[in-house]
Amino acid sequence: MSSKNAAHREPMSETETLRLDLEQTRQHLADTVQELSRRLNVPQRMKETAGHAGQTMKQTAGHAGQTMKQTAGHAGQTMKVTAGQAGQSMKEKAGHAGQTVKETAGHAGQRMKQAPGAMKQLPGAMKEMPGAMKQVPGAMKDLPAAGKRHPKAAAAIGGAIVLILAAATWLSRRHK
């Protein structure tokens, strides 16, 4: 084998070529032994793998937490808007229902004041009550579902209706 010396560009002797081959083989062997040692060093490889897994989990958990935070914020905003709309709708429906009941009670009260035999006309006025309730718009059909979603508001509205009916009854008995 004849190689040229890079520094002098003279042909290398066979001994020098063998020494160079031997040195390269030793270096290759040292690299191979080092790689084998690394592969056989299970505790160190486990630490490296665990470190990578821990870092991946940390990043994934951070991303999941951020996603949950955004989703919860969006859900909270949606619930706030929906509850506001439901409350407004219930308020409007209850106001309309209350107005209808008030008008019906007012008509019944006026009939009782105007007629000499008010007690005789009371059954007729009470019979008109279901007809007046039929005049409540179809939107009131949604009221039971809204009452289930917002029981405190429904209880307050129911209490107001009971008070109005009690007042109408009291007025009718007072004028006996």
Side-chain angles (χ1 to χ4, degrees), residues 27-161:
Q27 185 61 43
H28 182 66
L29 184 59
D31 291 344
T32 303
V33 168
Q34 187 176 8
E35 179 63 22
L36 286 172
S37 294
R38 189 191 70 76
R39 287 185 183 181
L40 292 175
N41 189 352
V42 175
Q44 181 62 31
R45 285 181 54 209
M46 287 179 62
K47 284 181 186 177
E48 290 172 2
T49 304
H52 291 301
Q55 187 65 22
T56 302
M57 283 180 60
K58 185 177 178 182
Q59 290 171 348
T60 303
H63 181 68
Q66 187 65 22
T67 301
M68 286 178 61
K69 183 177 177 183
Q70 290 171 349
T71 302
H74 181 68
Q77 185 63 26
T78 302
M79 286 177 61
K80 182 178 177 183
V81 168
T82 303
Q85 290 170 346
Q88 184 64 30
S89 177
M90 282 185 65
K91 181 178 176 183
E92 290 169 4
K93 291 174 185 176
H96 186 68
Q99 184 65 31
T100 303
V101 170
K102 181 179 175 183
E103 289 171 4
T104 303
H107 292 304
Q110 288 214 354
R111 277 183 120 184
M112 288 181 3
K113 286 180 184 178
Q114 293 171 356
M119 289 306 288
K120 292 179 183 177
Q121 293 180 358
L122 184 60
M126 292 307 282
K127 287 179 183 176
E128 290 178 17
M129 188 69 85
M133 292 306 288
K134 288 180 183 176
Q135 295 174 3
V136 176
M140 289 301 290
K141 292 178 183 176
D142 295 337
L143 194 57
K148 288 179 183 177
R149 287 190 306 262
H150 307 286
K152 290 181 181 178
I157 293 167
I161 292 171

